[in-house]
Amino acid sequence: ITHKKKTPFHSWLYKKIDEVWCSSEPAQRMLSAILPVASHRFRVVPYGRDVAGLLAAPRSQYRKELHEKLHIPENAVVAATVARMEPIKGIGELVEAFSRLAPRLPRAHLILAGGPSPQNEESRRFNDEIIIWVESLPPDVRARLHLTGFLPAERVLAAADFYVLPSYEECMSLVLQDALVMGLPALGTAAGGTPALVRPDVTGLLVPPRDAIALEKAMERLFTDEGARARWGEEAAKLAVVVDEKRVVDQILSWYVDRR
């Protein structure tokens, strides 16, 4: 929902709704401004995640396997993103930022896991353009920018030291939530629901969307500041309590019971 609902039908419809559930505080603010619904009817409901499964994953094994497959050395610092290959995901800015900082950071690696959206010609063209762009980079940089195609997100996250979400728009990223639960600090854009999870100098860093220069500077800090990565990752892992799917389901059931 991106525009105001002014028709008589919508005015009638939304009066029949008891609550509007949103995935984040930013989404709540946006929807409350465009929907004909009283502010007290909005509730923020986090997406429930399989926290137990994420934390039980053999992360050291996954990391070792993917590092070996991609020829990433043990002393590397790895950034990762998992996304569809579309301009709106900020992939172009991410490649641009990494290609500029990589020559001065020889330990830096970037895993770009994803591919074009099925049945989307524009996405396929963009994916091809990214591949051609990466192949044109200097050999040392190209060897450290890994286009893997689609891979299970938990394996990619296990192989990373921090997560990057450079989207222009993002309601609420499930992979971002999983990254934080797994204790990865995150670099995100100040767009959509991302600021609800990525708190500057607490769980990571935020930059403006579409800004490759700001993205480069923030990535450089995350690549080089091991202490900050550790602090932010420890804080990020606390999200596990909030998004645990069992807790979320129990809370949702209690809300229904209360309204019965």
Side-chain angles (χ1 to χ4, degrees):
I1 301 174
T2 58
H3 58 280
K4 289 190 175 182
K5 303 294 187 180
K6 298 180 179 179
T7 68
F9 168 75
H10 282 102
S11 296
W12 171 84
L13 174 66
Y14 282 102
K15 287 178 182 177
K16 302 295 183 181
I17 293 175
D18 293 308
E19 292 188 342
V20 177
W21 291 2
C22 314
S23 59
S24 67
E25 288 82 1
Q28 179 185 15
R29 290 193 294 270
M30 184 269 288
L31 288 173
S32 64
I34 62 178
L35 295 181
V37 177
S39 59
H40 69 274
R41 292 191 178 188
F42 287 86
R43 189 192 295 274
V44 174
V45 183
Y47 292 143
R49 308 303 293 153
D50 179 14
V51 168
L54 289 169
L55 298 182
R59 294 175 60 181
S60 59
Q61 176 186 332
Y62 286 167
R63 183 181 179 94
K64 181 175 184 293
E65 290 174 352
L66 193 53
H67 279 217
E68 288 179 352
K69 179 179 179 180
L70 300 177
H71 305 290
I72 298 175
E74 288 186 9
N75 69 340
V77 182
V78 181
T81 192
V82 180
R84 299 187 309 275
M85 287 294 186
E86 297 178 358
I88 197 172
K89 292 298 185 180
I91 302 301
E93 287 80 2
L94 181 58
V95 172
E96 180 181 349
F98 184 79
S99 65
R100 286 206 298 255
L101 67 81
R104 61 181 184 272
L105 298 178
R107 294 172 57 209
H109 284 248
L110 172 63
I111 298 176
L112 239 174
S117 299
Q119 312 303 319
N120 187 323
E121 182 60 33
E122 180 184 2
S123 179
R124 289 197 295 271
R125 286 197 301 269
F126 180 75
N127 184 70
D128 292 342
E129 291 170 1
I130 292 294
I131 292 173
I132 293 170
W133 185 1
V134 171
E135 290 177 346
S136 71
L137 295 173
D140 177 60
V141 175
R142 184 175 68 243
R144 291 183 283 128
L145 204 169
H146 310 279
L147 300 178
T148 66
F150 289 109
L151 289 174
E154 66 273 14
R155 292 179 176 268
V156 177
L157 297 176
D161 297 291
F162 65 94
Y163 190 71
V164 186
L165 183 68
S167 304
Y168 302 167
E169 300 174 10
E170 194 76 45
C171 179
M172 181 58 69
S173 167
L174 298 180
V175 182
L176 172 62
Q177 288 191 182
D178 291 350
L180 296 170
V181 166
M182 293 175 70
L184 293 183
L187 166 57
T189 48
T194 300
L197 298 178
V198 182
R199 292 174 289 152
D201 294 311
V202 178
T203 58
L205 296 173
L206 284 175
V207 298
R210 304 174 185 262
D211 191 336
I213 294 175
L215 191 61
E216 176 189 355
K217 291 179 180 178
M219 287 179 70
E220 183 163 14
R221 183 176 180 192
L222 276 157
F223 273 122
T224 58
D225 194 337
E226 184 177 357
R229 291 199 309 271
R231 291 194 305 275
W232 299 342
E234 183 177 350
E235 191 67 28
K238 295 178 182 178
L239 181 68
V241 177
V242 177
V243 302
D244 181 83
E245 62 183 6
K246 185 180 185 306
R247 175 190 174 279
V248 172
V249 170
D250 288 345
Q251 184 66 76
I252 289 172
L253 290 174
S254 73
W255 291 330
Y256 277 111
V257 169
D258 289 343
R259 294 204 64 92
R260 191 169 56 189

